[in-house]
């Protein structure tokens, strides 16, 4: 029995790259794809947002105009969505890729009604291109799409196993939160979640689960069995 009927799964671009740090690690993508298929087979409706960090992060590029850098980053997320979409199709799933801007015949322009209808038909929906505007992270795009699509929760697969009170890579005594509120995240300025995304989720009562993607079968476990990382709510 699924804990959630409809989720927005956020994957980092780095998760697609694996240890090589750039581009695609097909074995990693297939491993993630099999977990997504298990969720769909058990009746969970899935939408996916993917970051572009395996190709380009707009905010990290100092050599060109930020607006242009963000545009490249948005296109990187579209490439990632198309790639993962095709891998899911190879596993027997039906998919549809939406973007907030026209990409010729590669994708369909985002519409809430069309995206919800696709999920209700059993398709995995990809939301590429972020918000379509510069200066917004893919975390913010994730929050926006999850709210628009009336998802039950955001399921955020990270490279760490939850939210800490400080950077666990720097502070060996960093404390992990099993649960935390959006108010605490904002007050403490915790960097694990984009602050704009946190405000959006808080205002719209959208719970978020953060967990380590590298733990075996972690996506399925967090959706079907309960949070293994950190759950963020209003209370």
């Amino acid at each position: 029995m699924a804990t959630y009927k409809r989720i927005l799964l956020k994957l980092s671009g780095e998760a697609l790259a694996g240890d090589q740090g750039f581009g695609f690690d097909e074995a990693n993508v297939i491993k993630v794809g099999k977990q997504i298929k298990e969720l769909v087979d058990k009746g969970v409706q899935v939408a996916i947002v993917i970051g572009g960090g395996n190709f380009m992060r707009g905010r990290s590029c100092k050599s060109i105009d930020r607006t242009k850098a963000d545009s490249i980053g948005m296109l990187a997320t579209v490439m990632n969505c198309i790639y993962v979409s095709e891998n899911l199709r190879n596993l027997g799933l039906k998919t549809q890729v939406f973007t907030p801007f026209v990409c010729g015949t590669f994708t369909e322009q985002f519409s809430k009604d069309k995206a919800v209808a696709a999920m209700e038909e059993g398709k995995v929906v990809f939301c590429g291109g972020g918000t379509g505007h510069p200066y917004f992270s893919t975390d913010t795009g994730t929050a926006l799409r999850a709210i628009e699509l009336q998802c039950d929760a955001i399921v955020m697969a990270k490279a760490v196993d939850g939210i800490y009170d400080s950077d666990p890579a720097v502070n060996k005594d960093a404390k992990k939160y099993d649960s935390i509120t959006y108010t605490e995240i904002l007050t403490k300025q915790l960097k694990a979640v984009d602050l704009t995304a946190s405000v959006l989720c808080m205002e719209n009562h959208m719970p978020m689960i953060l967990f380590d993607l590298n733990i075996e079968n972690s996506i399925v476990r967090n959706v079907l069995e309960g949070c293994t990382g950190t759950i963020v709510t209003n209370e």
Side-chain angles (χ1 to χ4, degrees):
M1 179 69 67
T3 304
Y4 303 108
K5 179 183 177 184
R6 180 181 298 164
I7 63 163
L8 193 301
L9 172 64
K10 164 69 190 309
L11 299 170
S12 69
E14 289 87 347
L16 305 186
D19 293 336
Q20 63 197 35
F22 184 85
F24 302 118
D25 180 331
E26 188 174 3
N28 260 16
V29 175
I30 291 173
K31 189 182 297 185
V32 169
K34 287 179 178 178
Q35 293 188 68
I36 294 167
K37 186 176 189 302
E38 183 174 342
L39 292 179
V40 173
D41 288 345
K42 291 185 177 178
V44 181
Q45 296 176 9
V46 180
I48 299 176
V49 170
I50 308 175
N54 54 326
F55 289 113
M56 175 73 162
R57 284 180 177 273
R59 66 180 181 276
S60 300
C61 184
K62 308 300 182 185
S63 60
I64 62 175
D65 176 77
R66 171 66 187 269
T67 300
K68 297 297 188 293
D70 280 356
S71 296
I72 298 169
M74 285 185 265
L75 292 174
T77 73
V78 177
M79 290 193 298
N80 285 342
C81 284
I82 293 172
Y83 179 81
V84 177
S85 169
E86 287 307 301
N87 273 272
L88 293 190
R89 285 173 179 256
N90 289 339
L91 292 172
L93 290 169
K94 294 181 180 179
T95 66
Q96 196 156 352
V97 181
F98 291 93
T99 50
F101 42 75
V102 176
C103 288
T105 58
F106 296 115
T107 68
E108 185 165 344
Q109 195 157 11
F110 179 80
S111 154
K112 172 186 174 176
D113 291 343
K114 288 182 179 179
V116 168
M119 284 191 289
E120 289 177 342
E121 292 168 7
K123 293 180 181 177
V124 176
V125 163
F126 287 83
C127 300
T131 66
H133 301 282
Y135 296 98
F136 291 98
S137 70
T138 48
D139 278 359
T140 301
T142 297
L144 175 65
R145 294 297 182 234
I147 293 161
E148 286 182 297
L149 297 175
Q150 297 173 292
C151 294
D152 297 317
I154 293 170
V155 179
M156 193 169 286
K158 308 280 278 186
V160 293
D161 62 348
I163 297 177
Y164 286 77
D165 61 356
S166 58
D167 187 347
V170 176
N171 178 15
K172 64 181 179 62
D173 296 319
K175 173 192 169 187
K176 179 191 164 198
Y177 297 100
D178 291 328
S179 62
I180 193 171
T181 67
Y182 287 112
T183 299
E184 288 177 282
I185 287 177
L186 295 168
T187 301
K188 296 175 181 178
Q189 297 280 296
L190 299 178
K191 304 299 184 185
V193 182
D194 179 271
L195 297 182
T196 304
S198 294
V199 171
L200 261 177
C201 289
M202 181 176 67
E203 290 180 342
N204 291 276
H205 299 272
M206 175 62 64
M208 181 187 297
I209 298 170
L210 294 92
F211 61 92
D212 188 349
L213 179 64
N214 297 313
I215 294 174
E216 186 70 24
N217 217 35
S218 59
I219 298 173
V220 170
R221 289 171 60 192
N222 277 273
V223 174
L224 299 183
E225 299 172 12
C227 179
T228 65
T230 301
I231 185 164
V232 190
T233 59
N234 280 44
E235 300 176 355

